[in-house]
Amino acid sequence: MGGRSSVSYLVLVLALFSLGAEAKVHFHKWTVNYQTWAPDCVPVNIISINGEYPGPTIRAREGDTVVVQLENLMPTENVVIHWHGIRQRGSPWDDGTASMSQCAINAGETYYYKFVADRPGTYFYHGHYGLQRSAGFYGSLIVDAAGKEPFTYHGELSIVLNDWWHKSTYEQAVGLSSNPFVWVGEPQSLLIEGRGKYNCSATSRSCNATNTQCSPYILPVKPGNTYRLRIASVASLSALNFLIQGHKMTVVEADGHYVEPVEVDNLDVYSGESYSVLITANQDPSQNYWAGVNVRGRQPKTPTGVAVLNYLPNPSARLPAAAPPQSPLWNDYAYSRALAKKFVALKGYEELPPLQSHRQLILLNTQNKINGYTKWAINNISLLPPPTPYLAAMKYKIKGAYDTTPPPDVYTPRTYNISIPPPNPNAVEGNGVYVFKSNSVVDVILQNANTLTANNSEIHPWHLHGHDFWILGYGEGVFDPAKDTKNYNTVNPPLRNTVPVFPYGWTALRFKADNPGVWAFHCHLEAHFFMGMGVMFAEGIEQVGRLPNAAMGCGLTKNKIHMHH
């Protein structure tokens, strides 16, 4: 960033600060670097922010502006940060997606992210380049409501859930990109707010059970009080289930939108999702209680991750006598589907969907081979983002930056058998874009299928950048456009930014293409996106403002930086 732009940047910040009390600017100065940390008592290399793990929490009020000065101190690695759940209206270049919204930030360089926290809710941020999110590169982003919320509580707690490996993300990435394919296997630990416990006797590594970095996270409560517990998942692989020993939870918010209150004993949290639950400290106050997280959707080989619900004034070190709580059976998908369907929009608080859509995409999710390498593909195309960011390429009509042939709206043949491995496993790599008419209404049906392994279909949590969508329905088997569209919930569908597609099933979404920019829509499992499981959406490119120079400078934008001065 040149000297001149820094000066004009400060002027901009000062101008923002003078807006008055109604909208504040929150300025964060962050450095990103490697660090040794022991989240589950085993020391590994992580990517940390300001030497902290998890990263610092950003807290803002609805309507406030957040500015993050990000200095990349990793000597040999580029970086971006995605602000998950923030729609980036008017700032599509700050969505934090490498090769999509911006050029990744070079080693030693500083980039300024600036966005409006335009809606209250429970959000988070994470790396969106290679497998950096899996290296511990994430944190919470909480936006408080400006007005009154439809529920009350005495205090607030917040946790981010994660799965954790001892093998470095670089080793994992090499394995994913190898022929034959090398899989890292199930996680060693599950973390609650960056803390877990690995059985030190089970490893020859320098594991230290007394390291304070891996002492369980403490959730302090006063007997009789009700708390809002914010829960998010940045898991790389696992579908997680969260529960608190002896306590029920009432779900009131999902992905920044109010839902009709639902009382649950436990909660499935898919990677990319966030929730607020209300819990009341109404059990025996002389005890502390486990909060637990377990793997669902895959055969668990990882012990329960725990935190301590600490009834004050009990010492936080007083661990519960009981075993950590167990979740429903990992492959009870009927349970998961039924739970997912319980979340509907809170009446009178949320926008309802248009009754008709202008375009329908049916996206088949398959595991494939390309030249012998294992990949994931959507309608037989595995996404390989180009070196030139889409946003700059489309805004400045840079020739040759990406394939301008649009990908197919529906998969062919329409008779594809989703219940067996693909008879022809070969897919192709591509980087085309689905372009929507500005403000049009789009339906997307995610169709799951069998993987390359017989009798196997996985849960995929899909996340849309730049928008929320209405979940119109979930179904089993093959989606039938003639029949299944008649059963859509258009009365009170929840607005979300992340949704699971269940094994051998489909999920139907509707959204408004009303946010000028280029936006990723992808499986939020880190390895799956890395292996091509995503698509690109674009709309209203002609309405996008001038891109900051700092977001360009790679690929074919190298020569274009001065073209719009």
Side-chain angles (χ1 to χ4, degrees):
M1 194 163 196
R4 257 183 337 178
S5 51
S6 310
V7 173
S8 59
Y9 179 77
L10 279 174
V11 171
L12 168 78
V13 170
L14 293 171
L16 283 169
F17 274 116
S18 63
L19 286 175
E22 60 279 4
K24 284 204 175 77
V25 175
H26 303 268
F27 182 77
H28 294 264
K29 191 175 174 180
W30 287 358
T31 56
V32 176
N33 211 338
Y34 301 119
Q35 186 149 343
T36 303
W37 204 272
D40 67 351
C41 308
V42 175
V44 292
N45 286 338
I46 66 161
I47 297 176
S48 73
I49 299 170
N50 293 356
E52 295 177 33
Y53 173 72
T57 295
I58 292 180
R59 188 126 204 167
R61 192 164 172 265
E62 182 183 353
D64 288 355
T65 294
V66 174
V67 178
V68 177
Q69 175 190 319
L70 188 78
E71 187 183 3
N72 178 12
L73 295 180
M74 293 187 290
T76 57
E77 200 168 343
N78 293 1
V79 79
V80 292
I81 293 186
H82 171 56
W83 315 94
H84 186 112
I86 302 290
R87 291 175 296 181
Q88 299 293 350
R89 289 181 177 274
S91 51
W93 46 82
D94 281 343
D95 188 44
T97 49
S99 287
M100 296 168 185
S101 59
Q102 70 173 108
C103 294
I105 305 154
N106 291 325
E109 291 191 351
T110 297
Y111 184 87
Y112 290 87
Y113 284 104
K114 173 174 165 271
F115 56 87
V116 177
D118 65 343
R119 221 190 36 240
T122 304
Y123 309 110
F124 46 97
Y125 61 83
H126 58 77
H128 210 289
Y129 188 47
L131 302 180
Q132 288 179 344
R133 184 179 97 222
S134 299
F137 191 36
Y138 63 87
S140 292
L141 200 175
I142 295 169
V143 183
D144 293 308
K148 201 167 142 27
E149 295 199 272
F151 45 86
T152 56
Y153 49 92
H154 300 101
E156 190 180 306
L157 302 159
S158 176
I159 52 175
V160 178
L161 311 176
N162 198 16
D163 44 11
W164 196 250
W165 285 260
H166 297 157
K167 192 168 271 194
S168 81
T169 51
Y170 312 104
E171 279 183 87
Q172 292 182 45
V174 169
L176 297 175
S177 315
S178 293
N179 179 10
F181 181 74
V182 181
W183 176 239
V184 66
E186 302 305 310
Q188 275 69 62
S189 300
L190 301 177
L191 309 182
I192 298 180
E193 198 57 22
R195 292 162 176 273
K197 265 276 192 288
Y198 190 69
N199 176 3
C200 281
S201 61
T203 179
S204 57
R205 302 176 73 131
S206 52
C207 183
N208 176 5
T210 60
N211 187 331
T212 54
Q213 289 176 349
C214 60
S215 55
Y217 189 67
I218 305 299
L219 297 160
V221 294
K222 285 185 181 154
N225 281 5
T226 295
Y227 292 83
R228 177 187 196 157
L229 172 61
R230 299 178 184 266
I231 307 166
S233 170
V234 294
S236 295
L237 173 70
S238 318
L240 299 174
N241 180 272
F242 178 82
L243 67 176
I244 303 174
Q245 180 192 354
H247 294 70
K248 290 191 181 296
M249 301 178 281
T250 302
V251 181
V252 290
E253 176 225 338
D255 292 1
H257 293 278
Y258 300 125
V259 294
E260 291 288 348
V262 181
E263 189 179 72
V264 296
D265 293 313
N266 57 76
L267 180 64
D268 287 332
V269 187
Y270 299 98
S271 178
E273 290 189 333
S274 68
Y275 293 93
S276 284
V277 301
L278 300 179
I279 55 168
T280 301
N282 55 10
Q283 299 300 300
D284 174 0
S286 69
Q287 304 293 318
N288 289 339
Y289 299 85
W290 291 121
V293 61
N294 294 294
V295 171
R296 300 199 68 230
R298 302 178 68 87
Q299 192 155 8
K301 297 185 170 63
T302 314
T304 305
V306 295
V308 176
L309 188 72
N310 173 207
Y311 272 59
L312 301 171
N314 300 336
S316 62
R318 184 187 297 169
L319 299 183
Q326 291 310 297
S327 295
L329 204 61
W330 71 270
N331 56 357
D332 185 351
Y333 296 115
Y335 179 92
S336 295
R337 281 192 296 265
L339 182 59
K341 288 175 186 171
K342 283 182 179 171
F343 303 123
V344 296
L346 181 58
K347 195 176 162 72
Y349 276 87
E350 298 290 347
E351 187 188 350
L352 295 176
L355 295 179
Q356 299 296 323
S357 67
H358 301 108
R359 190 163 162 192
Q360 181 189 65
L361 308 184
I362 306 179
L363 304 180
L364 179 67
N365 292 220
T366 51
Q367 194 182 32
N368 297 84
K369 293 278 185 177
I370 297 179
N371 301 325
Y373 294 89
T374 304
K375 301 286 179 184
W376 290 91
I378 305 306
N379 292 0
N380 217 45
I381 299 174
S382 186
L383 180 66
L384 183 65
T388 306
Y390 287 106
L391 187 62
M394 295 184 82
K395 162 102 178 129
Y396 299 119
K397 299 185 171 62
I398 301 174
K399 285 196 170 51
Y402 67 97
D403 184 354
T404 53
T405 314
D409 279 15
V410 296
Y411 65 89
T412 52
R414 300 295 290 121
T415 53
Y416 182 87
N417 186 351
I418 66 159
S419 57
I420 59 168
N424 172 5
N426 294 309
V428 294
E429 279 174 337
N431 59 26
V433 180
Y434 291 96
V435 180
F436 304 122
K437 286 201 178 77
S438 199
N439 295 312
S440 63
V441 179
V442 181
D443 282 3
V444 180
I445 293 87
L446 294 162
Q447 175 68 62
N448 213 339
N450 205 99
T451 63
L452 290 167
T453 308
N455 304 313
N456 176 257
S457 182
E458 299 184 11
I459 292 181
H460 300 284
W462 276 78
H463 171 60
L464 177 57
H465 292 232
H467 311 74
D468 295 310
F469 47 71
W470 290 276
I471 303 175
L472 299 182
Y474 301 92
E476 293 176 61
V478 176
F479 176 79
D480 178 348
K483 183 177 99 249
D484 290 324
T485 48
K486 295 188 174 72
N487 300 322
Y488 280 173
N489 172 16
T490 54
V491 177
N492 59 358
L495 270 166
R496 303 290 299 261
N497 64 54
T498 303
V499 69
V501 55
F502 292 106
Y504 301 109
W506 54 264
T507 300
L509 322 170
R510 177 169 292 169
F511 72 95
K512 279 191 204 156
D514 60 359
N515 190 4
V518 187
W519 308 103
F521 179 47
H522 63 94
C523 177
H524 207 256
L525 302 184
E526 195 77 321
H528 291 192
F529 183 47
F530 183 81
M531 293 159 69
M533 197 171 195
V535 292
M536 298 305 301
F537 290 167
E539 72 237 22
I541 294 296
E542 62 289 340
Q543 300 162 49
V544 171
R546 189 182 129 181
L547 270 54
N549 280 346
M552 298 189 288
C554 60
L556 298 174
T557 63
K558 283 188 185 125
N559 329 324
K560 305 282 177 182
I561 281 198
H562 301 294
M563 61 191 256
H564 55 282
H565 278 314

